[in-house]
Amino acid sequence: MNLAELGKFLHTRRARITPAEVGLIGGSRRRVPGLRREEVAQLAGTSVDYYIELERGSGARPSAQVLAAVARALRLDGDERDHLFVLAGRTALAGHATAAHVQPAMLALLDRLDSTPARIITDLHETLAQNRLATALIGPPTGGSYIARWFADPASRSIYPEQDHPHHTRVLVHDLRAAVARRGHDAEAMEMVVRLRRTSEEFAALWDTGDVAVRRGDRKRIIHPELGIIDIHCQNLFSEDGRQRLQFYTAPPGSPAVEQLRLLSAIGVQTLTEPSFR
């Protein structure tokens, strides 16, 4: 374990990433290139103080789960991720690397989708990467699983009209059941299920129905602070193992959403002040 070298390594990886690469607002007052420490903390789902300690090489040794989240936030490749774990004196989570790191082919495709909102998520609905238009539509990426936030934080549902919440709740639970089975009921997925069953009666009731359905596509109504309700299609392209998906949003031909997405491209992320979207 070498926490001092770990801190230096995190600093160099952070400095090479632009805010645009991870769907964040760049701004004009940046004194140095790369992400700020608070932005990495946001992407990884950790506190800013904790991440600052990591870069300083101080504090407690980070867990494997925290390291995996930081690796995702910094878009480390496989060798870099392994090096991160070695510096922290940790063994990589078995079976986690497949879902934790953006597959190169998917990332290459995402980088070419500059005219439609798109992002890459895991089968547990963790955002790995997203483009500028996705940030403008659904807000900055946040760490951790959106399924967990959906049941733990009512504010996370505010992007959708209230009458649509029951539909999205069912879809998320059914999709999670498919993911858990596909993973062979691994520790990460089962821990999420146990935690959600314990903390959410709503989740427990739906989980106990046994219903399952992979979320391949859906019609979504998204509330945008400037453009109102945007009624669009959400489609998914899956990786070969099913543990990552490229999710993109398109407007039905001839619908008002065509013009709304055009305006979204012009508005960008300048009016977004709170990371409450999804």
Side-chain angles (χ1 to χ4, degrees), residues 62 65 122 163 193:
Q65 289 83 358
T122 71
Q163 57 266 42
V193 171

Side-chain angles (χ1 to χ4, degrees), residues 229-233 250-252 254-263:
I229 295 179
I230 306 176
D231 192 340
I232 54 179
H233 287 140
T250 59
S255 71
V258 173
E259 176 64 12
Q260 287 174 307
L261 288 187
R262 188 191 68 78
L263 291 172

Side-chain angles (χ1 to χ4, degrees), residues 21 25 244:
E21 287 181 278
I25 301 173
Q244 289 185 14

Side-chain angles (χ1 to χ4, degrees), residues 121-139:
I121 64 174
T122 71
D123 53 352
L124 299 184
H125 292 247
E126 304 160 306
T127 299
L128 303 180
Q130 68 182 37
N131 65 13
R132 183 184 66 87
L133 281 181
T135 299
L137 178 66
I138 58 179

Side-chain angles (χ1 to χ4, degrees), residues 17-210:
I17 301 176
T18 66
E21 287 181 278
V22 293
L24 295 175
I25 301 173
S28 59
R29 298 183 179 179
R30 291 178 179 266
R31 290 177 288 183
V32 294
L35 297 178
R36 297 187 176 104
R37 288 178 293 188
E38 57 265 28
E39 291 169 335
V40 177
Q42 175 189 330
L43 292 168
T46 67
S47 72
V48 176
D49 289 342
Y50 181 76
Y51 182 77
I52 289 175
E53 285 191 349
L54 287 182
E55 280 208 7
R56 287 177 176 170
S58 59
R61 182 172 64 154
S63 67
Q65 289 83 358
V66 167
L67 291 170
V70 171
R72 287 196 302 269
L74 294 174
R75 300 176 78 163
L76 303 186
D77 62 25
D79 291 339
E80 291 171 328
R81 181 180 185 276
D82 290 345
H83 184 61
L84 181 70
F85 274 73
V86 169
L87 291 176
R90 294 288 187 186
T91 301
L93 293 173
H96 189 73
T98 301
H101 289 278
V102 184
Q103 297 187 9
M106 280 199 166
L107 188 57
L109 181 55
L110 176 67
D111 289 340
R112 287 163 175 76
L113 293 177
D114 54 6
S115 61
T116 188
R119 63 179 179 166
I120 298 171
I121 64 174
T122 71
D123 53 352
L124 299 184
H125 292 247
E126 304 160 306
T127 299
L128 303 180
Q130 68 182 37
N131 65 13
R132 183 184 66 87
L133 281 181
T135 299
L137 178 66
I138 58 179
T142 54
S145 167
Y146 181 68
I147 298 177
R149 291 198 303 279
W150 178 269
F151 289 99
D153 179 13
S156 67
R157 306 185 181 193
S158 62
I159 186 175
Y160 302 116
E162 187 174 355
Q163 57 266 42
D164 296 352
H165 292 181
H167 166 75
H168 292 302
T169 300
R170 291 191 301 271
V171 167
L172 287 170
V173 175
H174 298 172
D175 189 69
L176 177 60
R177 180 176 288 278
V180 170
R182 189 188 308 112
R183 285 170 168 246
H185 294 74
D186 70 3
E188 181 186 16
M190 291 309 301
E191 180 185 355
M192 176 184 292
V193 171
V194 170
R195 184 172 66 253
L196 288 174
R197 282 181 57 85
R198 184 172 60 245
T199 59
S200 171
E201 293 182 1
E202 181 184 28
F203 176 86
L206 283 169
W207 186 262
D208 289 343
T209 66

